[in-house]
Amino acid sequence: MNLSQRSAAAAAGVPHRYLTIVETSDSRIVTNLGLVDFYAAAGIELLGEASIGNEITRAGARWSAPISHDVGKAEKARFHAENTRVSFRAARALLNKGQDEVAGLTGLSRATVKSLESGEAWVESHRTLLAFYENAGVEFLGWGDPVANHYFGIGVRWSFRPPEPESISRSAPS
């Protein structure tokens, strides 16, 4: 383009010092890649759909899982498995909410939210919390192995559909 940094910054509407930092520093990239490597080594996949010039959509995270449901027991043993099919704790983290706040928004007690996050299975409370997160735009991921009674690839991401209107102000992604 044959522009100076100052001219490019002015044309892009950003401060010159920001452009200088972005063009001369790789520390943010190195830090981000280091975090990605850390989570990948721990068995966590970071999710998201991105294209240049657009915001990342469908962001989230999940435990790595076998490629197929049909792999053997030894292959499945290499992956993290959960005892429940959803991670309410991960859904709450995606919404960036505390247990007290989720309890207030759902009409459940904090103790119930905490217990459901720990894997307790109270049908009506489970349905209430699941509906709350789905209405807020959270998609639950993963699949179950009925033989081993374990779940693989458990995690959350923002869903394709927008949050319900009454949920937007209290739990939409920022």
Side-chain angles (χ1 to χ4, degrees):
M1 290 176 52
N2 200 22
L3 291 176
S4 68
Q5 274 187 341
R6 192 169 305 282
S7 297
V14 299
H16 176 242
R17 69 180 181 277
Y18 292 172
L19 184 59
T20 300
I21 290 168
V22 169
E23 288 187 352
T24 61
S25 173
D26 66 5
S27 64
R28 187 173 293 180
I29 292 170
V30 170
T31 300
N32 287 345
L33 292 175
L35 286 170
V36 169
D37 289 344
F38 168 78
Y39 287 116
I44 296 171
E45 295 176 19
L46 300 176
L47 308 170
E49 298 171 4
S51 61
I52 304 262
N54 294 309
E55 289 186 32
I56 294 174
T57 60
R58 304 204 14 112
R62 70 174 178 190
W63 288 104
S64 298
I67 304 266
S68 167
H69 299 226
D70 298 326
V71 298
K73 186 176 180 180
E75 177 68 12
K76 287 179 184 169
R78 295 181 41 230
F79 294 91
H80 176 85
E82 293 278 328
N83 294 326
T84 59
R85 75 169 193 87
V86 297
S87 176
F88 287 133
R89 186 176 302 144
R92 182 171 53 81
L94 189 65
L95 294 181
N96 195 27
K97 303 247 182 248
Q99 287 178 339
D100 289 328
E101 191 173 3
V102 170
L105 293 168
T106 61
L108 300 171
S109 71
R110 181 183 184 279
T112 298
V113 171
K114 182 177 180 179
S115 293
L116 289 168
E117 286 183 1
S118 298
E120 295 291 332
W122 301 310
V123 175
E124 200 55 41
S125 297
H126 187 277
R127 283 186 190 140
T128 298
L129 200 54
L130 186 67
F132 167 75
Y133 287 125
E134 288 176 341
N135 288 337
V138 175
E139 177 184 346
F140 291 93
L141 308 170
W143 54 271
D145 178 357
V147 174
N149 198 27
H150 288 333
Y151 298 87
F152 296 93
I154 298 301
V156 294
R157 73 181 322 163
W158 292 110
S159 66
F160 278 119
R161 69 179 178 78
E164 297 291 325
E166 69 273 4
S167 300
I168 291 173
S169 63
R170 62 182 184 223
S171 58
S174 53

